[in-house]
Amino acid sequence: TAIKDPMDLGYLFWSISVGIICGAGLVEIALVASIMITVIMLLLLCCSAMFSGSEVAFFALTPKQTQKLEEEGHDHALKLINQPERLLATILISNNFANVGIVTISSFLAAKVFNFENPVLVFLLQVVLVTFLILLFGEILPKLFANKARIAVVKFTEKRN
């Protein structure tokens, strides 16, 4: 039978690629899974950064910047700005989902990759390091950037909705 769904085709390609790599003895399947999980975690961190940046960008717009968006025809961004409660709730819930996903996946990955006997090391890796990464790359730096480039972040975020 022919594959009609693009997702089936992507899954088939992915399965064949992993099978060839692992079947040829180039890497173990556990390594491939760990790499995939790490990539997913990094994508979630990028999502968290986008959500945090968009929060600052949308809510720190000046009336002059809002007028500029209106003149340029960014109707979707204006619609979001005119529903601040809904916008904020959506951003915060999405950001929390991304952050919980990061913590969950990093905990799973740390348990598979590292085999620490010392509970203090486990705590430092799973809590302190992950919290630091989320705060720095998922919260602080995106908010600083978004505060400097509000219009650009709003336009970027608008395209993603």
Side-chain angles (χ1 to χ4, degrees), residues 142-156:
K143 287 181 179 184
L144 289 174
F145 173 76
N147 197 36
K148 298 286 183 190
R150 294 176 194 145
I151 299 259
V153 173
V154 166
K155 289 178 183 178
F156 177 81

Side-chain angles (χ1 to χ4, degrees), residues 60-98:
L61 285 174
T62 64
K64 186 176 180 181
Q65 290 171 323
T66 305
Q67 183 180 3
K68 182 179 179 184
L69 287 171
E70 187 175 352
E71 290 168 359
E72 293 177 359
H74 294 280
D75 296 332
H76 191 68
L78 294 170
K79 180 180 174 187
L80 295 172
I81 291 167
N82 290 328
Q83 299 175 349
E85 294 88 7
R86 184 175 182 182
L87 176 62
L88 184 60
T90 303
I91 290 171
L92 293 178
I93 289 170
S94 301
N95 199 7
N96 279 324
F97 274 128

Side-chain angles (χ1 to χ4, degrees), residues 44-159:
L44 285 172
L45 189 60
C46 289
C47 288
S48 177
M50 186 181 79
F51 297 138
S52 295
S54 65
E55 177 187 356
V56 168
F58 275 101
F59 289 100
L61 285 174
T62 64
K64 186 176 180 181
Q65 290 171 323
T66 305
Q67 183 180 3
K68 182 179 179 184
L69 287 171
E70 187 175 352
E71 290 168 359
E72 293 177 359
H74 294 280
D75 296 332
H76 191 68
L78 294 170
K79 180 180 174 187
L80 295 172
I81 291 167
N82 290 328
Q83 299 175 349
E85 294 88 7
R86 184 175 182 182
L87 176 62
L88 184 60
T90 303
I91 290 171
L92 293 178
I93 289 170
S94 301
N95 199 7
N96 279 324
F97 274 128
N99 290 341
V100 167
I102 293 167
V103 170
T104 304
I105 291 173
S106 67
S107 177
F108 174 78
L109 187 63
K112 292 292 181 190
V113 174
F114 303 108
N115 195 5
F116 292 126
E117 297 293 327
N118 188 343
V120 174
L121 287 176
V122 172
F123 174 79
L124 288 175
L125 180 70
Q126 291 184 351
V127 176
V128 175
L129 179 64
V130 173
T131 301
F132 172 76
L133 291 174
I134 290 172
L135 282 175
L136 184 63
F137 296 108
E139 297 290 333
I140 297 169
L141 292 178
K143 287 181 179 184
L144 289 174
F145 173 76
N147 197 36
K148 298 286 183 190
R150 294 176 194 145
I151 299 259
V153 173
V154 166
K155 289 178 183 178
F156 177 81
T157 307
E158 173 193 36
K159 292 177 186 175

